[in-house]
Structure formats: structure tokens, C-alpha cells
Amino acid sequence: MTDAFEQQDRVLLTASPLQRVGAFALAALVRVPHPEQLTAEQFAAAVAVMTRHLLVTADVAKAADPGGFWLGASYLLWPNSKMNPTARGKQSPDERRELIMQWRAMPDPASWPGVPCVYCDRPACKWFGKVDIPLGASSEHRNTTAPGHEGTALCYPCVASLWAFPYGAALSGGRAAVIHSWDDSFLAPVTQVAVQRTLAAAQVPPVKSKPVSYARELAVLGAVRAYGQRVCSGVELFVLSNSNKEQFLQCQEMGQPVAEWLRSTVSRTDRRAGYRILAAAQGTRTVPGEAFLAKRAFGDPAAILHRVIAYLLDQVSARGAVPVEVTVLVPLVYSYCIEVLNMDEKDIARIRDLARRLAALLGQDSRPGPFGGFMRASAKGGDLYGWFRSRSVDWLLKSRPAGMPRVLLPVQDYRLLFDDDSAWSHRRLLVFAVMEALVEAGWEPKGATEEFEEIAEIAADLDKNES
Ligand SMILES: [Zn+2]
């Protein structure tokens, strides 16, 4: 038992996301960079800090009173624990303190169950249940213990990590939001920032603020863009409640490619300039652009591209000209297609070449009609193939500028647009590339603005999520 006992003051990282966040939070509580660097004394100090925070609540009548932060959080995190029993109102502060100390103390090694910890395989110190293991920490995302079953065996450092995870979470609206990644280098600073925020929040009375759309997703976007190194794994967002009233767990993942790409909009100067426009393009009347960008980065990365193109077409319609913002978006759009949407670089080069031919064709006319015709044909329900067929003859016989190839739509380009799993994405990208080429060529349409009005409808059409 001596060896086993000695192992009980080392924090290890396990395969449980909440345990991992908690382990980094423990380290942050005593300002150690990595949980596996915690000495026995530092681990004990981190556990003592948490216990001290809970002891403050012993003198507090209600969660809303000053010092009641962790009492309020306990209903969300540790319902039916020794710090919030039904009879709490009748207990003296001393009784409350005693119960909290009992709860958080390491069980006497003589009482250990003689089974391994389910997280780390070291000797468990006790069987634990719902009080200590929040929803989302158990492997099946269930934390109820069947009658007659003893619960989940955990060692002391692992259960202490679970107690610590709320420090690495954002507690608001009756939920705990936790950012996790298997990339330790990313998780460390993100958790440190969260711990500082939680400690600060615990010091002040709760403020009721107006809910912000997708605030938790937006926080992940902020964390990813603030990170100074390459993001090497996807970033998970867990939103959970362990409360008696409502058991809730939502897991979302921002994939590594989109996370790293979003970070590159800060780290790369060529992508930085267009980020604000790309983000603004995602907004609706009710949801701010950056919040919707964050939401889409989790659930629907392709929609980010579609929305940018639809936004530009809206601008064409509103201004009666192709917006010059297209140029600043160029590095963002093509890198996004390659790095996030897995499009082939050679295919993109073909689409841009084709777009230059189309711009040469459309730009010969200063009236907006031919441009509108191409956009209409590109929209859902439009006959793009028919449009190419009729223009190809024209191109070959009269409208082809000197130096341009004789064939408007070579067979490889035909395949990309009409005979490929990503045909619809390629067509949308072609719309963007044509706008790019027209701006590059300095095309300034003149004429009836009504012709542009219908482009807004095409934009709405392109924005829909066809595959
Ligand atoms: Zn363990």
C-alpha cells in the first residue's frame, strides 16, 4: 500500500476530457505550467485552494449572497453533495465546514476498495458517483449509478481533477462550458485563462447580462485566434449541467483544419486584412457576423464559404458594381477551400483560369446583363451547361480576345463543374473567381440597376445548403 499511497499525489493526464481540463486547472491554481510537473506539495496546495473556496460558503445563507459563488455553482456541478444538502439551512457554519472537509479529504488508505482507477489504472481511493463525476466525464456520458452498483472507482488525483474542472470552465446560464483539446500545448493556456476568469467571477456578485448569440462558440473562436502556435488537434466544446433539475450535455468539435485556418487569419498578414469582412459576411439581422462564423466553424464549415459568396452578390446587387472587397478576400477564400474544404489546388487553378476567360467574355460588355445572365445560370435551377454551350460558339467565333485559348470550357473544367462530387462547391467558387477576375480587369458596368436587383435573389439561392 505504501507505493500506491505515494502515487496518490501525482496528477496524470488521462483519456477523459474533463479530467484533463481539471488537471490543467489544478496546475493553474498553483501557477504550474503543466499538471504532470506538479509536486506532491503543489498538488496538495491546489486541492487546499479549492477546499478553501468551498469553505467560504459555510458562512453564506444563499448562493446570491457575497461569497456564494461556489454554493451557486454546486447546484449545477455537485448536486446532493455535502456542501448543499437539503438540510443546509438548519446547519451551523461549523457543521457545514466539517462536511465540506470530509467530502474533499483523501479517504483513509485502509478503506480503499482495492480496485484500479478507471481513468489511470492506479489504485482507486473510493467508489464515486454522480456527486463527484459530472455528466460528460464518464466514458458513456452517463453518470448515474445503477442500484446495487458501487459507482466508478477513481484515484484521488483523478477525482481532484474532476473537482477542479469547473475552474477551467465558463459557468453561466446554469451551464458549464468547457473548452478541451488533445493538443496539450493549446489546452494549457486556454485553461489558464479560464481559471483566471473563474477566480475573478467568484469575487464579484453575479451580473445578469443579456445573452449573446453563440457566446460559447465565439469564446472558442477567440481562444483559437489568440493562440500563438499551430493548433494540432480539433477543439471540443462541452456544455453541461449536472443539476438535479436538468441533466444536459452537448458536445461539439471544431475540426483541426478550420481551427488552424482561423488562427492563420491572425498569424498571416495576407489573411488578416480580409478577416473582418469574412466575419461580417456571416451575420444576419439577429446574429452578429463573428458569432455566426464561430457557430459555422463547428457545425458547417462549408457554409462559411457559401455565405461569403452570397454576401458579395448581395453587394453587387446593392451597389450596382462588383465590390472591391473581393480582392482582399482572395487569400482567405482560396486558402479556405484548400486547407479546410479539401479542394485540390490544381482544380482551383483551373477554376481561376476559366474565370479569367469568362471575365474576358463578360467584361466586353459594359451593360450588366451578360454578367447577370451568368450569375442566373450559376444559381440553383439555372442552366449553366446550356449557358456554356451557347457562349462557347460565340467565344470561338468572335468574342475571344487575342492570346486566350480557343476552347472556353475544356473537358477537365466541364468535369469539375458538372461531373464531380464537389461540383456545386466548384460552381460557387467559379462565381467568386469571376468576380475576382472582373475586379482585376477593372470592369465597371453601366446601365439599368434593376438588372442587378435580381442578383440578390441569386445570392439567396447560392446561400442555401445544396450539395
Ligand atoms: Zn486515476
Side-chain angles (χ1 to χ4, degrees), residues 13-46:
L13 292 174
T14 72
S16 155
L18 289 191
Q19 186 275 336
R20 285 167 50 80
V21 171
F24 276 98
L26 279 174
L29 282 173
V30 288
R31 300 178 186 282
V32 170
H34 193 282
E36 293 183 348
Q37 293 169 356
L38 284 167
T39 63
E41 291 73 30
Q42 288 165 331
F43 169 62

Side-chain angles (χ1 to χ4, degrees), residues 188-238:
V190 166
T191 308
Q192 281 156 9
V193 169
V195 168
Q196 292 315 315
R197 285 195 187 132
T198 304
L199 292 175
Q203 296 300 316
V204 293
V207 268
K208 276 240 186 291
S209 49
K210 236 177 117 194
V212 180
S213 315
Y214 304 128
R216 294 169 180 127
E217 287 85 352
L218 189 57
V220 176
L221 174 67
V224 162
R225 294 188 79 237
Y227 184 53
Q229 299 169 55
R230 187 179 156 75
V231 181
C232 296
S233 281
V235 182
E236 295 169 311
L237 174 63
F238 297 98

Side-chain angles (χ1 to χ4, degrees), residues 7-8 10 12 14 19 116-125 153-159 161:
Q7 287 183 41
Q8 291 297 313
R10 295 267 321 177
L12 298 179
T14 72
Q19 186 275 336
C117 168
V118 296
Y119 286 173
C120 71
D121 234 21
R122 291 177 293 179
C125 67
L154 294 178
C155 70
Y156 193 64
C158 283
V159 76
S161 301

Side-chain angles (χ1 to χ4, degrees), residues 113-401:
V115 293
C117 168
V118 296
Y119 286 173
C120 71
D121 234 21
R122 291 177 293 179
C125 67
K126 205 179 145 185
W127 297 99
F128 293 94
K130 176 180 153 65
V131 169
D132 301 277
I133 306 178
L135 190 75
S138 68
S139 52
E140 300 87 12
H141 293 147
R142 270 189 286 111
N143 63 347
T144 44
T145 306
H149 193 277
E150 287 163 301
T152 302
L154 294 178
C155 70
Y156 193 64
C158 283
V159 76
S161 301
L162 291 185
W163 292 332
F165 98 84
Y167 288 87
L171 308 176
S172 69
R175 303 271 160 90
V178 189
I179 301 175
H180 172 259
S181 173
W182 299 103
D183 178 350
D184 293 356
S185 306
F186 174 79
L187 186 57
V190 166
T191 308
Q192 281 156 9
V193 169
V195 168
Q196 292 315 315
R197 285 195 187 132
T198 304
L199 292 175
Q203 296 300 316
V204 293
V207 268
K208 276 240 186 291
S209 49
K210 236 177 117 194
V212 180
S213 315
Y214 304 128
R216 294 169 180 127
E217 287 85 352
L218 189 57
V220 176
L221 174 67
V224 162
R225 294 188 79 237
Y227 184 53
Q229 299 169 55
R230 187 179 156 75
V231 181
C232 296
S233 281
V235 182
E236 295 169 311
L237 174 63
F238 297 98
V239 180
L240 65 99
S241 161
N242 203 32
S243 98
N244 284 338
K245 280 190 221 143
E246 184 203 31
Q247 296 247 318
F248 177 84
L249 174 68
Q250 184 194 43
C251 317
Q252 298 183 76
E253 186 180 358
M254 182 189 283
Q256 185 274 336
V258 69
E260 176 56 20
W261 184 86
L262 286 166
R263 199 185 71 80
S264 78
T265 62
V266 180
S267 63
R268 292 190 48 154
T269 39
D270 60 332
R271 300 184 188 178
R272 215 178 288 156
Y275 175 77
R276 285 291 140 208
I277 301 169
L278 176 115
Q282 308 295 319
T284 64
R285 257 181 223 137
T286 48
V287 183
E290 204 171 23
F292 223 145
L293 172 66
K295 175 65 186 163
R296 288 180 172 133
F298 276 94
D300 191 2
I304 293 174
L305 174 71
H306 303 163
R307 193 47 228 150
V308 166
I309 296 170
Y311 165 83
L312 291 171
L313 289 178
D314 278 336
Q315 297 303 308
V316 170
S317 168
R319 302 184 205 173
V322 180
V324 287
E325 286 98 314
V326 166
T327 312
V328 78
L329 286 167
V330 162
L332 291 157
V333 164
Y334 294 119
S335 64
Y336 193 80
C337 287
I338 294 164
E339 293 164 26
V340 181
L341 303 180
N342 275 321
M343 284 191 199
D344 192 294
E345 255 177 273
K346 285 197 215 91
D347 292 346
I348 290 179
R350 293 204 74 90
I351 290 168
R352 289 179 90 176
D353 276 345
L354 172 60
R356 280 185 206 107
R357 296 196 290 280
L358 295 185
L361 180 70
L362 302 171
Q364 286 170 0
D365 207 317
S366 64
R367 293 169 306 164
F371 173 77
F374 164 71
M375 290 298 164
R376 209 163 30 247
S378 297
K380 195 190 162 227
D383 181 9
L384 187 62
Y385 180 58
W387 185 89
F388 267 112
R389 233 178 9 202
S390 63
R391 292 306 179 287
S392 288
V393 179
D394 192 37
W395 173 263
L396 185 64
L397 298 180
K398 48 179 193 198
S399 59
R400 177 168 56 103

